Amino acid sequence: MFTIITGSQFGDEGKGKIVDLLAERFDYVVRFQGGDNAGHTVKVGKLTIKLHTIPSGVLYNARLLIGPGVVLNPLVMKKEIDSLMDIGIRIDNKKLGIDAKTSVIMPYHVKLDELSERMRTKKIGTTKRGIAYAYMDKVSREEVRFADITDKKSFEEKISDIIPQKKVMLKAMGATDSDIDEAFEFDDILAVGKELKRYITDVSLELNQALEQGKNVLAEGAQGTHLDVIHGTQKYVTSSSTIAGSACMNLGVGPRRVDEVIGVVKAYITRVGEGPLPTEVGGEIGEYLREKGGEFGTTTGRPRRCGWFDAPLLRKAVKLNGYT
Ligand code: IMP
Ligand code: MG
């Protein structure tokens, strides 16, 4: 059984909570797009942990996978693994797998994201995690893949061809000398890469085998439908495809395999960052929704813009995702 779950609005619909409810039924919980721009909060007793890259449902028995369509910041991943280990949740290579082809978010991607947002007169309000620039490198075939950072020699070979052009870009966009030093600081990445090597896997192969054996797979979308890079509210979108069809493409699972598509809907609407929000309400009511709903971004802490439930927007999301 293959189930896909996506946010039907602008993200932050509470997908993490729903995945938590469903996780017990699944053998696999898989991320197929996005990066550490996403975020969900896990509460264990009195402890609160904020996660950005590890899929929801980490507290259950499901195996967690990071698909090759994700952009992965290895330093963030390492921190999350450590914080989970600290509270006694064992993240070994039975629990977690990362596809060898996953694009790595490099320090220069984060810098370029910051600099381009600074140069824009019309801001997007990105999370400044380097998401767009990591995806640009995938498409322009200048990416560093997860497998590359697990081996120093192949990493150095690859990066030597990439550094010169990134330097030109950074300088043209106003990077300072210290920005440039930080942008090409790779020691931590290589150290973490070596440590994370044990998680390496082939997600498409694993999932196809699992589905053939009748196992239950849940593909968990990040962000929300109207932040989709093709079907969303350009230019105020994220840099990946967030709708259900994206799961098949990004995971390497054929569309005939899909059994269920679940959409998560919040009874009101929120948006973090710039862009249209036709039903936005300001003043006292907006403030009330924000306070009651705890509507502050998990990743950036920014207050979310709040508004009334938007039926036409949901109708469009139903079509884009084919919710069952
Ligand atoms: P980026 O993904 O950091 O490039 O940000 C692009 C837009 O998507 C900005 O408006 C962000 O606020 C928004 N965004 C990115 N990730 C999330 C998320 O997980 N939830 C809600 N909004 C997000
Ligand atoms: Mg979130």
Side-chain angles (χ1 to χ4, degrees):
M1 173 108 175
F2 185 40
T3 304
I4 303 168
I5 184 165
T6 68
S8 65
Q9 293 154 329
F10 294 99
D12 309 309
E13 298 89 353
K15 289 181 295 293
K17 287 190 193 79
I18 305 295
V19 173
D20 245 23
L21 285 173
L22 299 175
E24 247 171 313
R25 293 190 220 158
F26 289 91
D27 303 297
Y28 291 82
V29 179
V30 192
R31 278 226 20 211
F32 58 89
Q33 45 72 230
D36 61 312
N37 48 350
H40 54 269
T41 307
V42 175
K43 290 187 180 156
V44 188
K46 281 183 188 150
L47 288 167
T48 299
I49 308 175
K50 289 192 193 296
L51 298 176
H52 304 283
T53 53
I54 300 244
S56 305
V58 62
L59 304 179
Y60 302 89
N61 289 325
R63 175 160 164 77
L64 309 173
L65 294 176
I66 307 291
V70 167
V71 288
L72 177 77
N73 186 322
L75 306 179
V76 174
M77 173 58 98
K78 166 79 170 92
K79 241 188 243 165
E80 292 181 17
I81 292 172
D82 287 348
S83 67
L84 289 163
M85 296 272 217
D86 280 347
I87 59 164
I89 299 164
R90 188 142 164 243
I91 312 288
D92 56 16
N93 61 357
K94 281 216 174 71
K95 179 75 184 166
L96 174 69
I98 304 172
D99 196 280
K101 289 186 164 187
T102 307
S103 286
V104 174
I105 300 177
M106 301 294 285
Y108 47 79
H109 293 139
V110 178
K111 281 284 171 225
L112 287 165
D113 192 356
E114 281 168 20
L115 292 168
S116 63
E117 186 70 355
R118 199 201 295 164
M119 284 178 86
R120 281 184 189 114
T121 49
K122 278 204 180 104
K123 308 281 181 207
I124 295 175
T126 76
T127 59
K128 298 187 179 148
R129 300 301 176 104
I131 305 297
Y133 283 86
Y135 276 119
M136 278 162 72
D137 276 358
K138 178 190 277 303
V139 179
S140 68
R141 294 146 299 174
E142 308 290 350
E143 67 181 334
V144 173
R145 292 170 170 181
F146 177 56
D148 297 324
I149 64 162
T150 64
D151 179 70
K152 191 163 186 228
K153 204 163 154 242
S154 70
F155 175 78
E156 280 169 353
E157 223 170 47
K158 184 152 244 182
I159 202 78
S160 66
D161 224 18
I162 296 174
I163 290 175
Q165 25 166 310
K166 298 300 170 200
K167 231 175 224 169
V168 173
M169 279 176 85
L170 283 159
K171 280 192 183 145
M173 288 167 74
T176 61
D177 288 345
S178 83
D179 282 339
I180 290 186
D181 287 346
E182 284 170 36
F184 301 110
E185 172 52 63
F186 303 134
D187 290 352
D188 289 355
I189 295 212
L190 283 170
V192 167
K194 216 168 150 188
E195 245 184 274
L196 297 182
K197 186 175 179 177
R198 61 194 170 123
Y199 298 113
I200 217 161
T201 190
D202 179 337
V203 166
S204 171
L205 181 68
E206 263 202 55
L207 291 181
N208 278 285
Q209 284 174 344
L211 289 167
E212 238 143 70
Q213 290 163 12
K215 301 244 168 77
N216 293 321
V217 175
L218 180 64
E220 176 192 3
Q223 292 87 43
T225 293
H226 301 289
L227 291 176
D228 185 278
V229 69
I230 297 169
H231 299 282
T233 55
Q234 279 87 342
K235 68 180 194 183
Y236 307 100
V237 291
T238 191
S239 300
S240 61
S241 178
T242 56
I243 59 176
S246 165
C248 288
M249 183 270 277
N250 277 302
L251 295 171
V253 174
R256 289 181 62 204
R257 287 276 187 202
V258 180
D259 297 290
E260 263 195 307
V261 185
I262 300 175
V264 183
V265 186
K266 193 150 65 176
Y268 52 99
I269 208 159
T270 61
R271 177 165 201 162
V272 56
E274 304 304 317
L277 189 62
T279 58
E280 185 167 10
V281 276
E284 243 175 73
I285 295 172
E287 198 52 49
Y288 180 84
L289 288 169
R290 185 153 41 246
E291 287 303 320
K292 281 279 173 198
E295 298 294 354
F296 296 89
T298 316
T299 302
T300 58
R302 289 178 290 179
R304 294 179 186 140
R305 298 156 61 196
C306 298
W308 303 119
F309 174 76
D310 187 332
L313 212 66
L314 182 61
R315 199 172 293 129
K316 176 154 182 167
V318 170
K319 290 195 176 72
L320 290 173
N321 290 279
Y323 292 135
T324 58

